[in-house]
Amino acid sequence: MNLREADAVMHIIVNQFLTREFLVITPYNAQKELIANRLRDAIRKRYSQGESNVTVTFANERVHSVNTVQGQEADVIIFGAVQTSELGFLKNKRRMNVALTHAKDRLVVVAHMALFRNRRGRKCLLAALLRKMEKITPLVNSKQLSTGFRLDFKRIV
């Protein structure tokens, strides 16, 4: 589990995508449960304040592990890499392909970038994707998110 990453994913969902068609995909069941629990809490809070008509079961439908997301798509995919020091699951190209190819419109990757800049991490599929993304749009760090930062998507044709 990665608590800081779960916080970043929640910030992104609640502030930008709660009313959009989105899926959260993460490699590990423990991280999936952590994010789903936090999303349920956020939905309960908004619902009790009259700010949302989304029910708590929404969290179960929108947060998945790579193994449970098969066959689903969404406008927005938020992928949480979890790892900060070892690649683990992220080395498996086939499973990473499944995780990263379900977005119809936008892919948001939440990851510890230092892992993908070191010698071991640079060779994985996600690192190659992040290097290409970095050329198109600036990366955002978690400190920026905590100040109310909103992700800015530019259409690249």
Side-chain angles (χ1 to χ4, degrees):
M1 288 190 330
N2 183 325
L3 301 176
R4 189 172 186 180
E5 180 181 289
D7 289 342
V9 168
M10 283 306 304
H11 179 85
I12 292 165
I13 293 169
V14 170
N15 290 307
Q16 285 193 256
F17 299 120
L18 193 55
T19 59
R20 299 267 325 260
E21 181 186 294
F22 75 89
L23 291 175
V24 175
I25 303 173
T26 186
Y28 302 101
N29 284 328
Q31 187 76 357
K32 176 191 121 179
E33 289 304 317
L34 175 64
I35 294 169
N37 287 336
R38 289 185 176 187
L39 182 55
R40 280 190 285 275
D41 291 344
I43 290 169
R44 279 188 194 102
K45 182 179 177 183
R46 284 183 166 228
Y47 191 81
S48 70
Q49 296 169 344
E51 297 176 20
S52 176
N53 60 355
V54 177
T55 64
V56 292
T57 59
F58 181 77
N60 300 336
E61 300 163 4
R62 296 292 173 188
V63 182
H64 293 274
S65 69
V66 173
N67 295 335
T68 64
V69 77
Q70 294 286 353
Q72 296 188 56
E73 289 184 325
D75 290 341
V76 178
I77 295 295
I78 303 163
F79 177 75
V82 183
Q83 296 289 13
T84 60
S85 60
E86 294 294 325
L87 289 174
F89 186 103
L90 304 174
K91 289 187 283 189
N92 187 317
K93 287 182 183 179
R94 187 178 62 76
R95 294 178 96 193
M96 287 307 303
N97 186 48
V98 168
L100 299 172
T101 58
H102 291 273
K104 294 180 195 174
D105 189 42
R106 297 177 177 154
L107 172 65
V108 177
V109 177
V110 180
H112 183 72
M113 287 304 298
L115 174 63
F116 301 103
R117 290 191 172 117
N118 74 33
R119 190 167 14 116
R120 286 185 316 241
R122 289 187 57 80
K123 295 180 182 177
C124 76
L125 179 65
L126 183 57
L129 174 66
L130 291 171
R131 283 192 299 275
K132 289 184 189 232
M133 289 173 80
E134 202 169 18
K135 291 177 183 176
I136 296 169
T137 187
L139 300 178
V140 177
N141 68 44
S142 59
K143 290 177 185 162
Q144 288 172 289
L145 284 176
S146 65
T147 62
F149 183 90
R150 289 181 59 85
L151 300 173
D152 181 27
F153 294 94
K154 296 175 178 94
R155 176 75 57 195
I156 306 296
V157 202

